[in-house]
Amino acid sequence: FSQMFSLIFLLLFLQLYLLVTCQDGRDCYSQMEQSFYKDGDIEIAAFLHIYTYDVPRIERSFIKYRRFRWFQSKNYQYVLALVFAIEEINKNPYLLPNMTLGFGLYNVMHSHMTVMENPFIWLVGVEKHVPNYTCRKQSKSVAVISESSIAVQMGTLLELYKIPQLTLGPFEPLLSDSGQFPSLYQLAPKDTSLAHGMASLMLHFGWTWVGLAISDLPKGVQFMSDLKVELQKNGICVDFVELIPATVESLSSFQSTFHIQILKSSANVVILFCVNESLIGASFQSWGQLMTWKAWVTTSQWDFASSEKHFLLHSFHGTLIFSHQHSEISGFKNFLQRANPSKYPEDSYLSRFWSLAFNCSVTGTSCKTLQNCPLNASLESLPPHHFDTSMSDGSYNIHNAVYAVAHSIHEMLLQEVEMQPVNNGAKVAFSPWQLHPFLKNLQFTNPAGDLVNLNHRKNWEAEYDILNFWDFPYGFGRKVKSEQLSLSENLIEWATGITETPHSVCSMSCSPGFRKTPLEGKPVCCFVCTPCPENEISNQTDMDQCVKCPDLQYANTERDQCFYKKLTFLSFEDPLGMTLVCTALCFSVLTAIVLGVFLKHRDTPIVKANNRCLSYILLITLIFCFLCSLLFIGHPNTTTCVLQQTTFGVVFTMAVSTVLAKTITVLLAFNFTAPGRRMRHWLISGVPNSIIPICSLIQLALCAIWLGTSPPFVDTDAHSEHGHIILVCNKGSVTAFYCVLGYLGSLALASFTVAFLARNLPDKFNEAKFLTFSMLVFCSVWVTFLPVYHSTKGKVMVAVEVFSILASSAGLLGCIFVPKCYIILFRPEKNAFKGFRDRIFSKDTDVLKCSS
């Protein structure tokens, strides 16, 4: 009993305290609960969020106490837009003639506990909430105007009465369900292009690393999904995503994590999208003195410019705001200039706002008498963060909503007049649900010249203006409109402390010549720059892959451009070509000189030894060997390509076969001088000399088969030398080429073997040792040629083959004929027969002369 008595006493004391307080203290704060009415023949009910209370009310049967806290100046502009539109229509003789429009204005809280309170009062007529019961007279309201967030909650209730509901925005996809809300019409355009517009803005400034703060309501989640798709499509990555809670209870945890996330993030740009303005405002209002120095991108739904906290304006200085594009309603600013409490004394909201804005004192029982106000006080004189005279998106839509109702009523009345005559001037009575056929098909041009359509299926995509918020000293904020998306960046003010366009990237851009290499486990916007491989380029920034240059082009050293390759070959003007030509000509002249020396001293023993006719043939063949190297130099064509290998094969076959013949001659000559003379008939019959045509014919046959099956042709080599296309002779059949070389090698090996066997024969003029050494040099050159030839490309490959021709020919010339020339020219005393050789080799039996 004592505990119960204590509880009852506490409740009685609290009620008495509140009763006394409210009796004397129910000043103009609490009296603002009264609605704002303007009588008319037909009325429109407007449910708007104009002011906010600190705490839910403590309600008993005889006590109501509420403490006024925040006045939404932005939303109060909706009220003035409503009044302005109704006054325009009432003055228009062509729209609803002989009929006046009125309205009833009701404040609605965004709280779940109080959002349905005033709609119930409006429907029932008393503050005691009794559904399906009304104690008021016949209502003259034919339509309801509200914000989308309010319509979501009270739309189902009003749907029971089939009352037309028009929302001023923002566009809510949930309300587009004609099955659930058949009596609801949205004036705001669809925001489906907002995600694309924000992604385009990110691309314009090169922002590829951003953060997201999105409302966790269905509309916010859908926008986040659409935005992520657009960002990913354009190569923009998201560093973090924070969902703004839809309930007041979750705000505290959101504030702490969101602040920490912003401070830790390397993204310098944050996209902010919130469906419920009051919740996001409550979140950021609690930041205190935190400065983030970020670039913010948001929508006009959150009007932070009206904040009274200067630090908040300072933090959001430079914010880019997406606002629906619409024409200006002429006369609206002049209407705002003339609006004041004396003109609208029944408007308690305007009186309260006037007292707050201009520090006026409120007196009188009605709380509508103002004193000590400035003489020149007007809404136009207020700074924009207190009251912005520019028509907002919501004011524009509420203006269109009033005109939509007026036009639909006008069309309906015209139709009824045509169907039945006017009953002695009596006013036509109708029910609100009768407006639906006219509203569904309504399409009209508003006073600004814009086309308005209430069919959400035919509703146009929104077009946007991008506003730039500037925070001037002393908390004076202002929005500045930019010209389309091609922004004038020099006119944009960025966040405090930033003097140029901010950068927001995870990795710096890769310049031309580099490609992006993704980092494992990181978003695609985080990468390292890797130089392009050889002969590949990237001529743009941030290329994912390098592009290979065409075969006829090459990449420059910076790897950012392809240039056409120069056509080149081993020419006579080339230093290497010129050196080889001079070398070939010098050896040819030298060989001709040796031939001349041998002809002059043809009767000397050293020339006559080993068949001087073979020596003449070998020297002449060596001249052609040196000269055939010139076919490999110069501009290739079909003729030179065919002659290169065939001439080389045949001429060198003749040279090697001549050496073989000389070697066999030495061997037969020794056997001829030995006892028995068994080889005499071979020498006399000229068997050694027949080796040359036989071996040459075999090589000619191989070359003929080569030319008949796959002859050499002119080809290009675009890869061997950087920046050049080399003209070369393609051998056609590699097999035929190696057959020619193999046959030539087999002859050289046979000559080397025979010469090696005859190297120690007892003959003063025996040249078997010189032939052995010459074949050793010849084979060494061509054995070395094979690996070197295959390891080189382009002009060097041709030069290697030419060098091998010259080296092997020079080896034959030097090893065979230089010692003999030395004896002929410098040691003539050794060039004579003595002893038994004079008796053996008489003039009549000289088998070594050419006639034999």
Side-chain angles (χ1 to χ4, degrees):
F1 287 100
S2 60
Q3 292 179 352
M4 184 180 298
F5 177 77
S6 300
L7 179 60
I8 294 173
F9 176 77
L10 179 61
L11 291 175
L12 289 175
F13 176 79
L14 180 59
Q15 290 181 0
L16 180 62
Y17 172 77
L18 292 175
L19 180 61
V20 173
T21 303
C22 292
Q23 292 292 337
D24 299 329
R26 271 182 66 104
D27 56 6
C28 299
Y29 293 145
S30 60
Q31 290 191 29
M32 286 195 62
E33 299 172 22
Q34 298 177 1
S35 300
F36 176 24
Y37 294 100
K38 184 174 182 179
D39 194 20
D41 299 328
I42 299 173
E43 295 178 359
I44 299 174
F47 294 92
L48 302 173
H49 175 58
I50 303 174
Y51 56 88
T52 305
Y53 294 114
D54 249 350
V55 293
R57 69 178 181 175
I58 302 173
E59 183 175 21
R60 292 295 181 263
S61 59
F62 60 94
I63 298 175
K64 280 191 292 184
Y65 174 69
R66 297 177 181 177
R67 191 160 72 89
F68 173 86
R69 179 158 186 188
W70 290 320
F71 190 94
Q72 304 290 337
S73 61
K74 169 191 171 184
N75 291 8
Y76 184 66
Q77 191 192 82
Y78 301 164
V79 178
L80 297 177
L82 174 69
V83 176
F84 172 71
I86 288 179
E87 288 186 358
E88 272 191 329
I89 293 172
N90 289 337
K91 294 177 183 178
N92 190 344
Y94 303 103
L95 185 60
L96 295 179
N98 302 322
M99 185 176 291
T100 59
L101 271 181
F103 64 87
L105 178 63
Y106 302 87
N107 180 62
V108 178
M109 297 281 291
H110 281 294
S111 172
H112 295 291
M113 299 174 61
T114 59
V115 68
M116 298 300 296
E117 181 179 10
N118 279 337
F120 263 117
I121 295 174
W122 175 72
L123 286 171
V124 176
V126 293
E127 294 192 18
K128 188 174 183 62
H129 306 156
V130 183
N132 292 331
Y133 177 79
T134 177
C135 57
R136 65 176 178 177
K137 296 180 180 180
Q138 182 66 32
S139 174
K140 293 185 289 184
S141 297
V142 296
V144 171
I145 297 177
S146 67
E147 300 172 71
S148 297
S149 57
I150 299 173
V152 169
Q153 302 182 66
M154 73 174 190
T156 306
L157 172 65
L158 299 181
E159 192 63 45
L160 298 174
Y161 302 91
K162 304 300 181 183
I163 300 175
Q165 304 174 60
L166 292 87
T167 63
L168 56 95
F171 187 87
E172 176 59 58
L174 179 63
L175 299 177
S176 299
D177 185 359
S178 58
Q180 186 177 358
F181 301 100
S183 303
L184 193 142
Y185 307 90
Q186 300 194 67
L187 272 298
K190 296 178 182 178
D191 282 324
T192 51
S193 60
L194 179 61
H196 176 71
M198 287 189 171
S200 300
L201 183 68
M202 301 299 109
L203 285 180
H204 178 83
F205 289 111
W207 295 333
T208 59
W209 189 238
V210 299
L212 301 182
I214 310 292
S215 171
D216 64 354
L217 291 175
K219 180 180 178 181
V221 174
Q222 181 61 44
F223 171 75
M224 179 179 65
S225 176
D226 297 339
L227 181 61
K228 281 187 173 181
V229 171
E230 287 292 336
L231 295 179
Q232 185 177 9
K233 189 187 302 181
N234 292 279
I236 301 170
C237 300
V238 177
D239 183 25
F240 66 88
V241 177
E242 286 291 338
L243 295 179
I244 303 173
T247 59
V248 179
E249 292 77 12
S250 306
L251 282 177
S252 58
S253 60
F254 163 75
Q255 292 161 7
S256 58
T257 57
F258 187 40
H259 298 170
I260 296 173
Q261 186 74 309
I262 287 182
L263 293 175
K264 290 173 58 179
S265 173
S266 59
N268 293 323
V269 176
V270 180
I271 297 177
L272 186 61
F273 181 84
C274 189
V275 177
N276 196 327
E277 179 181 348
S278 63
L279 292 180
I280 191 172
S283 172
F284 286 95
Q285 290 283 355
S286 63
W287 277 20
Q289 298 299 321
L290 179 63
M291 299 294 180
T292 58
W293 318 113
K294 300 286 184 180
W296 297 85
V297 178
T298 184
T299 63
S300 58
Q301 296 178 27
W302 179 37
D303 190 19
F304 58 85
S306 61
S307 172
E308 296 180 0
K309 293 191 176 183
H310 296 169
F311 84 91
L312 195 60
L313 300 178
H314 198 48
S315 297
F316 287 94
H317 175 75
T319 298
L320 298 177
I321 305 169
F322 277 76
S323 176
H324 288 152
Q325 188 180 69
H326 55 77
S327 303
E328 291 291 334
I329 303 294
S330 62
F332 183 66
K333 284 192 175 182
N334 293 332
F335 169 79
L336 295 180
Q337 293 173 7
R338 295 192 302 268
N340 56 65
S342 60
K343 185 177 180 180
Y344 300 101
E346 68 279 7
D347 188 356
S348 58
Y349 301 120
L350 182 57
S351 299
R352 177 56 187 156
F353 178 67
W354 213 265
S355 67
L356 292 174
F358 300 105
N359 295 321
C360 304
S361 58
V362 183
T363 61
T365 57
S366 63
C367 293
K368 297 178 182 178
T369 304
L370 302 178
Q371 294 180 350
N372 303 322
C373 294
L375 296 178
N376 58 346
S378 67
L379 295 177
E380 185 185 24
S381 63
L382 293 175
H385 68 277
H386 285 167
F387 189 88
D388 194 351
T389 57
S390 300
M391 177 170 274
S392 64
D393 297 340
S395 297
Y396 179 80
N397 292 332
I398 205 171
H399 182 274
N400 288 338
V402 174
Y403 266 89
V405 174
H407 278 284
S408 61
I409 296 173
H410 188 84
E411 292 294 329
M412 185 187 67
L413 295 179
L414 286 178
Q415 189 179 76
E416 290 190 2
V417 168
E418 292 176 358
M419 294 177 61
Q420 60 183 2
V422 180
N423 188 12
N424 297 325
K427 295 184 178 179
V428 180
F430 62 92
S431 299
W433 60 266
Q434 293 179 274
L435 290 178
H436 288 302
F438 301 94
L439 286 172
K440 290 182 185 297
N441 300 315
L442 183 63
Q443 185 170 306
F444 67 95
T445 302
N446 65 9
D450 296 336
L451 189 64
V452 180
N453 184 6
L454 268 64
N455 190 338
H456 72 274
R457 295 181 179 178
K458 297 181 180 179
N459 202 350
W460 294 276
E461 298 289 345
E463 296 181 355
Y464 298 95
D465 287 326
I466 299 179
L467 310 179
N468 184 216
F469 176 73
W470 294 358
D471 176 35
F472 292 98
Y474 310 107
F476 181 79
R478 189 171 185 84
K479 299 174 184 175
V480 181
K481 182 185 292 187
S482 301
E483 296 296 330
Q484 299 180 353
L485 190 57
S486 55
L487 303 174
S488 300
E489 297 185 24
N490 57 331
L491 299 179
I492 296 179
E493 285 284 336
W494 298 110
T496 306
I498 301 177
T499 57
E500 57 183 13
T501 302
H503 297 282
S504 186
V505 294
C506 182
S507 301
M508 297 303 295
S509 296
C510 293
S511 58
F514 293 83
R515 64 178 178 89
K516 297 191 299 184
T517 301
L519 296 175
E520 187 176 358
K522 296 286 186 179
V524 295
C525 297
C526 302
F527 50 83
V528 294
C529 298
T530 306
C532 288
E534 186 177 358
N535 208 39
E536 293 186 10
I537 67 164
S538 62
N539 54 6
Q540 298 177 0
T541 57
D542 291 338
M543 289 190 65
D544 295 322
Q545 297 293 335
C546 298
V547 180
K548 190 173 183 180
C549 290
D551 288 340
L552 300 181
Q553 298 180 9
Y554 70 97
N556 59 352
T557 55
E558 291 79 15
R559 309 285 172 86
D560 58 359
Q561 280 185 306
C562 288
F563 295 108
Y564 280 98
K565 295 180 179 180
K566 295 180 179 179
L567 195 65
T568 184
F569 48 87
L570 187 61
S571 64
F572 293 101
E573 294 79 12
D574 189 272
L576 180 60
M578 189 177 297
T579 301
L580 294 176
V581 168
C582 293
T583 303
L585 292 178
C586 290
F587 277 113
S588 299
V589 172
L590 181 61
T591 306
I593 292 173
V594 172
L595 178 60
V597 171
F598 268 57
L599 289 174
K600 183 178 180 180
H601 301 86
R602 59 183 177 276
D603 294 328
T604 59
I606 199 169
V607 176
K608 293 169 63 178
N610 304 106
N611 198 330
R612 60 186 172 187
C613 185
L614 292 178
S615 297
Y616 299 154
I617 295 174
L618 181 58
L619 287 171
I620 294 173
T621 304
L622 288 177
I623 292 175
F624 284 103
C625 287
F626 287 120
L627 293 178
C628 80
S629 63
L630 300 180
L631 294 173
F632 293 84
I633 304 174
H635 193 290
N637 53 62
T638 304
T639 303
T640 56
C641 288
V642 171
L643 291 177
Q644 279 179 6
Q645 304 302 332
T646 54
T647 304
F648 158 73
V650 172
V651 171
F652 265 79
T653 299
M654 291 182 62
V656 175
S657 60
T658 302
V659 173
L660 178 61
K662 288 177 69 66
T663 306
I664 293 175
T665 300
V666 172
L667 188 62
L668 293 178
F670 173 76
N671 291 330
F672 175 77
T673 58
R677 294 180 178 85
R678 291 178 297 215
M679 306 299 292
R680 175 183 178 85
H681 64 282
W682 285 8
L683 285 171
I684 296 174
S685 62
V687 171
N689 294 347
S690 62
I691 293 176
I692 298 174
I694 294 173
C695 294
S696 299
L697 287 175
I698 295 175
Q699 186 69 285
L700 282 173
L702 290 176
C703 291
I705 296 173
W706 182 5
L707 296 179
T709 55
S710 180
F713 58 90
V714 181
D715 198 6
T716 57
D717 181 6
H719 307 287
S720 299
E721 191 172 339
H722 182 71
H724 294 84
I725 299 176
I726 303 173
L727 282 178
V728 294
C729 287
N730 191 304
K731 293 175 177 57
S733 175
V734 179
T735 303
F737 172 70
Y738 284 113
C739 287
V740 171
L741 282 183
Y743 177 70
L744 185 60
S746 62
L747 288 180
L749 184 61
S751 300
F752 172 76
T753 302
V754 175
F756 181 80
L757 294 175
R759 70 188 187 281
N760 293 324
L761 296 178
D763 190 351
K764 182 177 181 180
F765 299 108
N766 181 16
E767 59 179 354
K769 294 181 179 180
F770 302 121
L771 295 175
T772 302
F773 191 67
S774 66
M775 285 295 99
L776 181 62
V777 173
F778 183 89
C779 292
S780 299
V781 169
W782 288 105
V783 169
T784 307
F785 161 79
L786 292 176
V788 176
Y789 183 78
H790 285 286
S791 63
T792 56
K793 297 291 182 182
K795 294 192 297 184
V796 180
M797 176 184 286
V798 179
V800 167
E801 188 170 359
V802 173
F803 177 79
S804 299
I805 293 173
L806 296 178
S808 57
S809 302
L812 295 177
L813 177 65
C815 294
I816 298 175
F817 295 102
V818 169
K820 295 179 179 181
C821 290
Y822 176 77
I823 293 175
I824 293 173
L825 298 177
F826 301 104
R827 303 296 295 273
E829 68 276 5
K830 292 185 176 183
N831 190 10
F833 286 109
K834 295 183 179 178
F836 70 93
R837 291 185 182 275
D838 293 334
R839 293 189 298 271
I840 295 174
F841 296 98
S842 62
K843 184 176 181 180
D844 297 331
T845 62
D846 186 8
V847 297
L848 300 180
K849 57 187 176 182
C850 289
S851 60
S852 65

